[in-house]
């Protein structure tokens, strides 16, 4: 895949980049390691000052970087601004909390004595140079949620970003440099995915974190396993969204729309499979489909647009194949089911779709209509595979055990959403749903204070919170003998 900025709203290539050569990669690896030797000895106050400064700069740059993101991967501009603001908040959160999250721990006096020591300290020390392989869908947030805790813990970072977001990748390197981080603390490597193995095998790289697809995760984990290096994997998801009879149906349907189409439907934690109790199935479908139909599709730089194009042409082809396969096997589209046509009613700027710029953009860009599919079954690929775009599948179930069984009938286990007012049903879901999160009467969202990650093929390890910052620490036992 070439390293290039290609506007998904027009298909136009705006800028291309040559990948770094072997010599430059070597120079940057050396720099990352040298920077680590210095950065690891800094105190938390120094690290906090640097990260807070980066947050201030990011706030000041909000409009500029939002435009870069929207131009590179097509998310609606308001969502891009919100992403930048969220990153600044997460930086401040880690700047404020890292010292307490990584404070020395002291086992109980009885356990210390039992271990034969006079005293024992457990200390969180940094691991070293961490390689981050990141995706394009939240091009700022995915990186910041790794970089903020990793840098606060005293590590240094190397970013291999997705090849279609080089502008955002270079912005990030520049941001940390302007914030005052010493050279080498955070570097962007403009390289293709084929270069990842060599970098990861380099002795100066201590660990890796990857957010992306399952094949990419498997490949990086295999190399890391061979090298016995620690990894965190945040991979795909096909999150269930359960709706039970006691639910606030209007709230559930409105949230379902947002949960499915956020980021043009390209979010790992988007709700993708809607599993609805038969008593409320038809009423939910009616409200949900009406909400999906009403979405404004169009140029993501237009403030009124809610759904932009898919980020890449291949992404749209993959989605089309998934929906076509389902329709061929008997699924029914309650709305959408293909590319927008001139009669699409939801194009920005007018119902006829003939509105000047909006229509031109819909023709040229990689748009796909918000789609609701029913009568989906296991013969269809979409039953097991992740639909990375604004396409929902709705299932009818007779009761909660059937809903939970269907929720768990997926290779993925990232997060889940449950709409019910029944405490017993909540308890059952909290016990039985196989996922890294269960969000009741709301939709899954990440927050710096809450652990984020999945089980099964959604990956392993956790980001954010205390768990996220400790992933890249050498948890060291300091044992002092009785003679000490
Ligand atoms: P992707 O193709 O896996 O790309 C992600 C990153 O991995 C890119 O930097 C890519 O580089 C690199 N990569 C791809 N193949 C590789 C390989 N064999 N070895 C090393 N690096 C490799 O994923 P995507 O299609 O961009 O992103 C969508 C996927 O990410 C979805 O499955 C989504 O659910 C998942 N995702 C998960 C989370 C989460 O937190 N769990 C968050 C966001 C997205 P190139 O761009 O150069 O190919």
């Amino acid at each position: 895949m070439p390293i290039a900025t290609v506007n998904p709203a027009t298909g136009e290539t705006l800028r291309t980049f040559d990948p770094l050569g072997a010599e430059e990669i070597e120079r940057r690896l050396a720099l990352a390691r040298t920077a680590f030797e210095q950065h690891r000895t800094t105190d938390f106050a120094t690290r906090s000052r640097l990260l807070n400064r980066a947050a201030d700069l990011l706030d000041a740059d909000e409009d500029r970087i939002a435009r870069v993101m929207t131009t590179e991967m097509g998310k609606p501009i308001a969502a891009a601004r919100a992403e930048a603001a969220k990153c600044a908040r997460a930086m401040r959160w880690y700047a404020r909390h890292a010292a307490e999250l990584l404070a020395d721990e002291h086992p109980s006096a009885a356990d210390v004595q039992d271990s034969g020591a006079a005293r024992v300290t457990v200390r969180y020390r940094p691991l070293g140079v961490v390689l981050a392989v990141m995706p394009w869908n939240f091009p700022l947030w995915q990186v910041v949620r790794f970089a903020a805790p990793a840098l606060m813990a005293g590590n240094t970072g190397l970013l291999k970003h997705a090849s279609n977001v080089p502008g955002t990748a270079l912005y990030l390197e520049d941001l940390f440099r302007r914030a005052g981080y010493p050279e080498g603390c955070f570097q962007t490597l403009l390289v293709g995915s084929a270069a990842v193995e060599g970098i990861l095998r380099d002795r100066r790289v201590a660990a890796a974190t990857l957010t992306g697809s399952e094949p990419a995760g498997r490949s990086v984990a295999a190399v890391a396993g061979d090298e016995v290096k620690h990894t965190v994997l945040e991979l795909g998801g096909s999150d269930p969204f359960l709706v039970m009879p006691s639910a606030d149906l209007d709230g559930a349907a409105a949230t379902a729309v947002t949960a499915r189409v956020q980021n043009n439907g390209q979010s790992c934690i988007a709700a993708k499979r809607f599993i609805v109790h038969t008593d409320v199935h038809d009423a939910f479908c009616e409200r949900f489909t009406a909400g999906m139909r009403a979405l404004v599709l169009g140029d993501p730089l237009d403030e009124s647009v809610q759904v932009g194009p898919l980020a890449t042409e291949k992404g749209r082809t993959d989605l089309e194949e998934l929906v076509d396969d389902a329709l061929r096997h008997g699924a029914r589209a309650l709305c959408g089911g293909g590319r927008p046509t001139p009669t699409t009613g939801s194009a920005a700027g007018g119902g006829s779709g003939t509105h000047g710029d909006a229509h031109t953009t819909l023709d040229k860009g990689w748009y796909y209509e918000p789609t609701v599919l029913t009568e989906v079954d296991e013969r269809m690929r979409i039953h097991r595979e992740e639909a990375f775009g604004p396409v929902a599948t709705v299932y009818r179930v007779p009761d909660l055990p059937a809903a939970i069984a269907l929720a768990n009938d997926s290779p993925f286990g990232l997060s889940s959403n449950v709409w019910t007012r029944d405490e017993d049903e909540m308890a059952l879901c909290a016990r039985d749903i196989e996922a890294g999160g269960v969000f009741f009467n709301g939709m899954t969202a990440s927050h710096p204070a809450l652990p984020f990650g999945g089980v099964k093929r959604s990956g392993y390890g956790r980001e954010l919170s205390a768990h996220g910052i400790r992933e890249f620490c050498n948890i060291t036992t300091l044992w002092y003998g009785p003679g000490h």
Side-chain angles (χ1 to χ4, degrees), residues 1 133-137 142 145 160-163 192-193 196 210-213 216 219-220 234-237 268 386 388 414 452:
M1 191 169 172
V133 182
M134 291 289 141
W136 45 262
N137 62 343
Q142 305 289 5
R145 79 178 181 186
K160 182 270 176 274
H161 216 327
S163 292
S193 58
V196 168
L210 179 138
T211 300
S213 62
S219 160
V220 164
E234 300 287 2
L235 308 180
C268 53
E386 179 182 24
F388 219 52
L414 193 51
F452 184 97

Side-chain angles (χ1 to χ4, degrees), residues 53 57-58 61 64 171 173-181:
R53 174 92 183 112
L57 291 170
L58 182 52
D61 294 344
R64 176 165 71 94
Y171 168 81
E173 182 177 67
D174 187 53
L175 174 73
F176 288 112
R177 188 189 49 74
R178 285 186 289 138
Y181 281 89

Side-chain angles (χ1 to χ4, degrees), residues 21 43-44 78 88 109 143 163 188 225 228 317 321 342 345 358 366-367 382 453 468:
D43 57 20
F44 284 111
V143 177
S163 292
T188 288
V228 196
T317 308
E321 287 176 5
W366 301 315
Y367 293 93
I382 201 165

Side-chain angles (χ1 to χ4, degrees), residues 7 37 83 88 175 207 254 267 334 348 355 376 379 385 410 442 476:
N7 185 349
E37 288 307 334
E83 181 172 337
L175 174 73
S267 168
L334 296 182
H355 174 80
V376 173
R379 290 168 307 148
E385 296 180 30
S410 167
T476 309

Side-chain angles (χ1 to χ4, degrees), residues 10-227:
T10 61
E12 193 187 348
T13 300
L14 302 173
R15 209 169 157 200
T16 56
F17 296 83
D18 289 330
L20 298 183
E23 222 172 277
E24 182 59 13
I25 293 174
E26 164 57 32
R27 191 185 75 80
R28 284 170 180 250
L29 279 164
L31 207 54
R33 180 64 209 188
T34 309
F36 172 65
E37 288 307 334
Q38 190 266 332
H39 189 57
R40 72 185 180 85
T41 62
T42 56
D43 57 20
F44 284 111
T46 305
R47 295 178 201 165
S48 294
R49 256 196 314 278
L50 289 167
L51 199 56
N52 279 324
R53 174 92 183 112
D56 292 345
L57 291 170
L58 182 52
D59 276 340
D61 294 344
E62 188 178 296
D63 285 334
R64 176 165 71 94
I65 185 58
R67 264 190 101 78
V68 173
M69 285 192 277
T70 294
T71 306
E72 293 199 308
M73 52 66 64
K75 71 174 62 210
I77 188 72
R81 284 197 299 267
E83 181 172 337
K86 179 175 179 170
C87 289
R89 284 198 301 277
M91 286 173 168
R92 292 195 179 96
W93 192 87
Y94 270 112
R96 188 162 64 245
H97 293 288
E100 98 212 29
L101 300 176
L102 300 184
D104 284 352
E105 290 171 9
H106 303 283
S108 72
D111 284 338
V112 170
Q113 194 181 21
D114 201 43
S115 79
R119 64 190 170 93
V120 173
T121 298
V122 176
R123 182 159 299 163
Y124 293 93
R125 298 190 296 161
L127 273 186
V129 180
V130 180
L131 171 67
V133 182
M134 291 289 141
W136 45 262
N137 62 343
F138 292 93
L140 210 53
W141 170 244
Q142 305 289 5
V143 177
V144 165
R145 79 178 181 186
F146 133 76
L151 290 168
M152 281 307 300
N155 299 289
T156 57
L158 286 174
L159 168 65
K160 182 270 176 274
H161 216 327
S163 292
N164 57 332
V165 289
T168 313
L170 291 172
Y171 168 81
L172 279 156
E173 182 177 67
D174 187 53
L175 174 73
F176 288 112
R177 188 189 49 74
R178 285 186 289 138
Y181 281 89
E183 198 187 2
C185 271
F186 182 95
Q187 299 177 82
T188 288
L189 304 178
L190 286 186
V191 292
S193 58
V196 168
E197 175 168 356
I199 296 166
L200 183 50
R201 287 195 188 277
D202 190 281
R203 66 193 151 71
R204 289 160 294 192
V205 172
T209 177
L210 179 138
T211 300
S213 62
E214 197 189 322
R218 192 180 299 114
S219 160
V220 164
V223 174
D226 195 41
E227 293 289 339

